[in-house]
Structure formats: structure tokens, C-alpha cells
Amino acid sequence: MQTLTLYATTAGIFLILDAIMLNMVIAPLFRQHLGDAILDSPRIGAAAAFYLFYVAGLLILVSHSAYQDGDIFRALWQGALLGAVAYGTYEWTNYATLRDWQPSMVFTDWAWGTALTGVSAAGGVWATRAIFG
């Protein structure tokens, strides 16, 4: 039950924060540079697959052991590291291979993914520990 709660709280934090940032900053920035290459609305199945898989990986690689040890700071920094690697891989590969990918897109989304993943991991650990003690 604790693992399911850890997953649910982490996913909830991740989804809420990402929805806000995507709508307010990332989508307008990407639209500015990529124009009609951006869909009017996302492919929900693909987005759901990413979120489900990414949060599961975050739990396996970071949050579960940090929760067991009661180390919220470790969840924060290891989550941030995972986010930097994952979002950095996406952004730098796109910048290396796609003509219209811009440095402002790379640095904005890379920084966001780093912060989002760290905060979500730490928040999930904190919330689950608050629920279960």
C-alpha cells in the first residue's frame, strides 16, 4: 500500500506541476519556434504512456529507497539528477538533429525536467511519509 501511495503522490505532483508549466511556458515557447509542427492538442495515449513509465522509473531508481531510508533530500537530488539525464537526453538530441530546435527550448525544458523530477520525488516521499509515518 505504501508503494502505491508513493506512486500516486509522486504522479499527482508531477502531473499537476507539469500541466501548469506546459500550458504557461513550454507550449508557447515551442509553438514560437516550431509553429505548425506542434499539435493543437497532445496525443493523450502517448502522454499517458510517458507519465506512467517515467514515474515508475523514478520510483524504482530513486524514490522507493529514499522513502525506506526516510531521506527526502536524497529523493530531491537523485530525482533532479535523473531528470537532468532524461530531459537532457531528449533536449540535446533534438538540438543536435532538428533544424528548428533552439537553445532557449533546450535550456528551459532541461531545467524544468530537472526541477520537476526532483521536486516530484521529494514531494512524493514527504507526502507518503506524512501519511504512513
Side-chain angles (χ1 to χ4, degrees):
M1 188 61 159
Q2 292 172 343
T3 301
L4 183 58
T5 302
L6 181 60
Y7 184 90
T9 56
T10 303
I13 293 165
F14 195 97
L15 288 169
I16 291 166
L17 294 177
D18 205 29
I20 294 166
M21 184 68 163
L22 285 173
N23 285 310
M24 295 181 70
V25 177
I26 302 296
L29 175 65
F30 279 41
R31 240 184 213 50
Q32 172 188 349
H33 294 292
L34 301 177
D36 63 358
I38 300 292
L39 295 171
D40 290 331
S41 59
R43 294 182 175 118
I44 298 301
F50 165 74
Y51 285 114
L52 291 169
F53 182 69
Y54 192 78
V55 172
L58 180 58
L59 257 65
I60 291 165
L61 297 173
V62 175
S63 300
H64 189 266
S65 62
Y67 172 75
Q68 297 290 0
D69 294 343
D71 193 344
I72 295 169
F73 181 72
R74 187 171 89 208
L76 177 67
W77 78 262
Q78 287 183 346
L81 179 61
L82 178 62
V85 170
Y87 279 71
T89 299
Y90 173 79
E91 287 299 332
W92 287 107
T93 299
N94 285 341
Y95 184 64
T97 61
L98 300 174
R99 176 181 15 264
D100 294 330
W101 217 262
Q102 299 299 313
S104 62
M105 296 163 62
V106 172
F107 290 111
T108 302
D109 198 37
W110 188 24
W112 173 242
T114 299
L116 174 63
T117 307
V119 167
S120 296
V125 168
W126 176 85
T128 305
R129 291 194 64 77
I131 294 166
F132 290 103

